[in-house]
Amino acid sequence: MQVLSFLPLYLRRAWLSAALVRATALDLAVLAGHLLLYPSGLAPERRPDNAATATPQLPTAGRSHPPVVLLHGFIDNRSVFVLLRRSLARHGWRHLESLNYSPLTCDIRVAAELLGRHVEEICARTGHREVDIVGHSLGGLIARYYVQRLGGDLRVRTLVTLGTPHSGTRSAQLGHAHPIVRQMCPGSEIVEELRRPAPDIRTRFVSFWSDLDTLMVPVETARIDHPDLLAQNVRVTGIGHLAMPVHPAVAAGVRQALTAGQPEVAGQEAFSVA
């Protein structure tokens, strides 16, 4: 994207328009595929003793990873993570949990409390003291509220968010009638709570945001900008909102984020999937 600054304005606009068309087409294709998978994700997942036994694993399978909790976005379910889950399993993650919360949930706080109970149950069942969480869109906001406001940093080692409206998105105003959508608007009580001081939070945050995400308005709202949080913002170019949890390049970035150790300072990366 940096090379665009050297192009004439009309060329920059033409490039961005073409990229947006491609990203929109990809999002529509992802949506069509997801609608086919959606019924399979309505029921809670079964939890066999070894969730990865049915998936061929790469040579990295011997590594030990904390359980990964996958949390979907608004009016969605665990089926959105089919490809990401498969990618993690093939690269050695053995404990993968995809959680559903009801589309009738009206409060991020309630959903965050439910997430906290699930995390405690997962830790008790697997014997791990901590988990990692990957949240798409609203799921990332629910997970952040749990970590930042409900003491979840004691249990969550790394929180990865994909296209999450950390500062609120103006597009949520279109669905203002739904209480939980109102909480995703800029200036909502939830957004303001997350702006409050959060000293001594131990969780590491990695936020993936796309410059072609039309549901994040402005797109920078999917970044985490908080002075007390150890946050890394990763800019993705070439895809939109719906493609974030299914694109293989993003999956590779998520694996890297979950494998990396705690950095000494917050940073920013960028990669293109165009």
Side-chain angles (χ1 to χ4, degrees):
M1 290 298 291
Q2 293 176 345
V3 71
L4 291 182
S5 60
F6 298 101
L7 296 177
L9 180 59
Y10 74 94
L11 288 179
R12 276 183 280 166
R13 288 176 174 173
W15 188 94
L16 289 172
S17 297
L20 183 57
V21 168
R22 291 194 298 269
T24 302
L26 178 59
D27 261 3
L28 291 175
V30 169
L31 177 61
H34 186 40
L35 289 176
L36 294 176
L37 289 174
Y38 192 90
S40 67
L42 291 173
E45 68 176 357
R46 292 176 298 174
R47 296 191 177 109
D49 292 336
N50 188 344
T53 52
T55 305
Q57 294 188 347
L58 297 179
T60 54
R63 296 177 181 174
S64 176
H65 298 286
V68 176
V69 182
L70 304 170
L71 197 61
H72 62 79
F74 181 61
I75 314 183
D76 211 337
N77 62 37
R78 62 185 177 87
S79 63
V80 73
F81 291 116
V82 166
L83 296 181
L84 178 58
R85 183 186 181 116
R86 183 179 303 168
S87 173
L88 290 171
R90 290 192 70 238
H91 286 82
W93 275 262
R94 294 182 177 276
H95 299 288
L96 299 168
E97 308 272 347
S98 300
L99 302 183
N100 280 350
Y101 57 89
S102 171
L104 301 178
T105 303
C106 294
D107 194 328
I108 287 175
R109 302 177 186 88
V110 173
E113 291 174 357
L114 177 62
L115 172 62
R117 292 196 291 272
H118 279 300
V119 168
E120 292 297 325
E121 186 273 331
I122 290 168
C123 288
R125 173 161 42 85
T126 64
H128 285 267
R129 296 179 57 186
E130 294 180 309
V131 303
D132 293 332
I133 298 179
V134 180
H136 179 228
S137 196
L138 173 60
L141 203 61
I142 292 171
R144 180 180 170 187
Y145 192 90
Y146 163 61
V147 168
Q148 194 174 326
R149 303 294 298 170
L150 300 180
D153 67 307
L154 298 177
R155 286 295 193 191
V156 180
R157 186 191 68 154
T158 301
L159 169 58
V160 177
T161 65
L162 310 174
T164 290
H166 291 287
S167 300
T169 173
R170 291 199 291 270
S171 67
Q173 295 168 349
L174 299 175
H176 201 263
H178 196 293
I180 207 167
V181 176
R182 286 200 298 271
Q183 293 180 332
M184 290 189 284
C185 290
S188 72
E189 288 186 7
I190 290 291
V191 170
E192 293 305 311
E193 276 192 67
L194 294 177
R195 293 185 188 275
R196 294 177 186 172
D200 304 322
I201 296 293
R202 302 185 300 176
T203 299
R204 172 176 171 252
F205 297 82
V206 182
S207 176
F208 289 79
W209 65 283
S210 173
D211 52 6
L212 296 179
D213 189 337
T214 56
L215 291 184
M216 298 295 104
V217 184
V219 293
E220 292 83 6
T221 192
R223 293 167 42 91
I224 296 179
D225 293 308
H226 192 295
D228 294 334
L229 301 182
L230 187 60
Q232 182 180 25
N233 294 298
V234 182
R235 187 183 69 195
V236 183
T237 67
I239 63 173
H241 188 77
L242 298 180
M244 293 285 277
V246 303
H247 200 284
V250 176
V254 170
R255 294 196 308 267
Q256 182 179 0
L258 296 179
T259 304
Q262 190 88 354
E264 295 182 2
V265 294
Q268 170 150 353
E269 296 177 358
F271 63 89
S272 173
V273 299

